[in-house]
Amino acid sequence: LKGRELLNEGIKTASMVQYVARCGNFKSAGLKYTGDPDKPVKTVAACTGAGSEFVACAGLCDVYVTGDLKYHDAQFAKESGFAVIDAGHWGTEWIFVPNMAEKLRKKLGTKSGIKVIESRVNQDPFSFMV
C-alpha cells in the first residue's frame, strides 16, 4: 500500500513510523518519534530538512514527518496529542535531487538544449554507531 491507501486502511502511528523507515535511506538503527503508537492516522504533514519551526502548525495533523526536530518541539507535539517522526535532516532531503531533476527534464524538454546534471555526491555527513 502507498500514501493515501495507507490512511484509508486505518494505519496507526507505529505502522506509519515503520512505513517512513522503509521509504527512506536511513543508516541509523531506526527513527525517532513521539506520540501514541496505537493512535489512528488520518492526516500526515511533512517538511524536508529541519522542520522544527513548523511544529505548531503540524498540530493540525495526526503525524508530522520532518528532520532535525528539537527536543522541546517533540515534547510540545507529544503534549498536544499529535505524533512527530524525526527522520533526520539528510533522511528527509536525499530524495529531492532526483525528483527535482526529473521534473526539470520534463519541463525543459529535449529541445531546450539545457542539460540537467544531478550531484553524484549524495551522502549523510553523519556516521552512526550502535
Side-chain angles (χ1 to χ4, degrees):
L1 297 175
K2 292 187 179 181
R4 191 172 304 275
E5 295 169 351
L6 286 169
L7 299 178
N8 291 337
E9 290 293 318
I11 190 171
K12 294 185 178 176
T13 300
S15 297
M16 189 69 194
V17 175
Q18 292 170 343
Y19 175 76
V20 171
R22 284 192 309 272
C23 290
N25 187 5
F26 307 105
K27 296 180 194 174
S28 64
L31 301 179
K32 294 188 295 186
Y33 82 98
T34 188
D36 178 354
D38 294 320
K39 183 177 178 184
V41 176
K42 299 287 183 200
T43 55
V44 178
C47 177
T48 59
S52 269
E53 64 192 85
F54 303 111
V55 77
C57 298
L60 301 173
C61 65
D62 297 316
V63 176
Y64 178 47
V65 182
T66 191
D68 288 342
L69 197 65
K70 295 178 183 177
Y71 173 87
H72 289 105
D73 291 326
Q75 192 172 29
F76 167 79
K78 187 171 187 173
E79 291 171 358
S80 298
F82 66 96
V84 291
I85 301 172
D86 184 340
H89 195 115
W90 182 83
T92 60
E93 284 192 344
W94 69 273
I95 195 67
F96 176 80
V97 172
N99 283 342
M100 181 54 77
E102 182 61 25
K103 288 180 187 290
L104 287 171
R105 286 184 189 105
K106 285 181 181 177
K107 186 75 173 174
L108 293 169
T110 55
K111 294 181 182 180
S112 71
I114 298 173
K115 184 176 181 180
V116 177
I117 302 171
E118 298 175 47
S119 172
R120 294 175 191 237
V121 179
N122 186 12
Q123 65 185 32
D124 191 337
F126 290 102
S127 296
F128 296 90
M129 184 180 300
V130 181

